[in-house]
């Protein structure tokens, strides 16, 4: 009952953020609030930049969060998928690749979630790719965060251009050169997508410019 009271406001709505909602409300209500020094692993991944950096930090030789020690047991229920399959042209460099992935291109310094398919000739570098993304032949991705079930067309280039140009609509969120592709988006063949670009969810060929070029900082 006490926990439920502290996680909801007077109207019964859920408080969703500890730093912004829960703790200030506890202090205002004169609840007994105590603090202690926490010396373990903790990262706030509330921004795209932080999310990207935290994922790629797992690839360091001695990461702060080492998933391969018994000190950090993984309790999340994994999907039952086949083992990673590396094709004759496939190459993995300093990357973390999950079950169900089929790698027939090059994956370099990247984190791939379950079920990602990388076609021959494709190159993925410095990127975070979520579940069941299909990456077409000859596609090039660099410094990209891709949501689930996205299709990247053949020969498409995602993440190329000037990192210093922030996103026009979200300059305070997309400014570090990272391009974001939303869930279920379909990137047409041979599309050229710049830096700090946001491709929203469910976008398809009709949403892209006729010349196939999405400049730095644009939103589709």
């Amino acid at each position: 009952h006490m926990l439920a009271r502290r996680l909801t406001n007077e109207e019964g709505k859920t408080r969703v953020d500890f730093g912004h909602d829960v703790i200030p409300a506890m202090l205002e209500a004169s609840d007994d609030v105590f603090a202690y020094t926490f010396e373990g692993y903790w990262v706030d991944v509330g921004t795209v930049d932080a999310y990207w950096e935290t994922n790629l930090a797992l690839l360091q030789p001695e990461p702060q969060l080492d998933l391969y020690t018994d000190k950090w047991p993984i309790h999340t229920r994994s999907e039952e998928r086949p083992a990673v399959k590396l094709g004759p042209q496939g190459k993995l460099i300093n990357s973390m690749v999950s079950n169900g992935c089929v790698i027939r291109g090059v994956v370099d310094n990247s984190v791939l979630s379950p079920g990602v398919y990388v076609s021959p000739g494709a190159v993925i570098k410095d990127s975070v790719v979520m579940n069941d993304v299909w990456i077409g032949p000859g596609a090039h991705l660099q410094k990209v965060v891709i949501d689930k079930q996205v299709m990247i067309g053949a020969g498409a280039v995602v993440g190329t251009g000037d990192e210093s140009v922030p996103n026009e609509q979200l300059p305070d969120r997309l400014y570090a050169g990272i391009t974001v592709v939303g869930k279920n988006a379909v990137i047409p063949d041979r599309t050229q997508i710049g830096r700090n670009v946001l491709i929203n969810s469910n976008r398809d060929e009709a949403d892209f410019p006729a010349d196939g070029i999405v400049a730095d900082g644009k939103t589709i």
Side-chain angles (χ1 to χ4, degrees), residues 1-15 18 21-23 25-33:
H1 177 73
M2 181 66 72
L3 177 61
R5 181 171 65 83
R6 289 178 171 176
L7 294 179
T8 56
N9 61 20
E10 291 76 10
E11 291 78 30
K13 295 183 178 179
T14 302
R15 295 183 175 122
F18 272 85
D21 300 317
V22 178
I23 295 174
M26 291 167 61
L27 292 170
E28 186 177 343
S30 300
D31 285 328
D32 292 331
V33 180

Side-chain angles (χ1 to χ4, degrees), residues 181-214:
V181 181
K183 187 176 181 180
N184 291 319
V186 178
I187 308 299
D189 294 350
R190 295 174 293 282
T191 303
Q192 304 281 313
I193 299 176
R195 307 280 187 180
N196 296 315
V197 170
L198 172 61
I199 308 298
N200 281 294
S201 299
N202 301 307
R203 295 297 189 256
D204 59 23
E205 186 173 359
D207 297 304
F208 286 83
D211 63 3
I213 298 175
V214 181

Side-chain angles (χ1 to χ4, degrees), residues 88-169:
Q89 297 173 299
K91 187 175 183 180
L92 290 174
I93 307 166
N94 192 48
S95 295
M96 187 178 293
V97 179
S98 304
N99 283 350
C101 289
V102 177
I103 311 299
R104 294 195 162 100
V106 177
V107 179
D108 183 1
N109 199 56
S110 296
V111 176
L112 273 56
S113 293
V116 175
Y117 182 88
V118 181
S119 299
V123 177
I124 295 87
K125 188 173 183 180
D126 304 330
S127 295
V128 179
V129 184
M130 299 185 195
N131 301 50
D132 299 309
V133 170
W134 186 88
I135 300 169
H140 280 235
L141 283 61
Q142 184 169 15
K143 208 171 182 180
V144 181
V145 174
I146 302 182
D147 206 344
K148 298 177 180 179
Q149 298 168 343
V150 166
M151 295 186 66
I152 307 292
V157 178
V158 186
T160 179
D162 188 352
E163 291 194 1
S164 68
V165 179
N167 186 270
E168 290 180 345
Q169 295 186 13

Side-chain angles (χ1 to χ4, degrees), residues 77-93:
R77 182 178 179 181
S78 298
E79 299 178 34
E80 290 299 326
R81 300 219 185 187
V84 175
K85 185 175 184 180
L86 191 63
Q89 297 173 299
K91 187 175 183 180
L92 290 174
I93 307 166

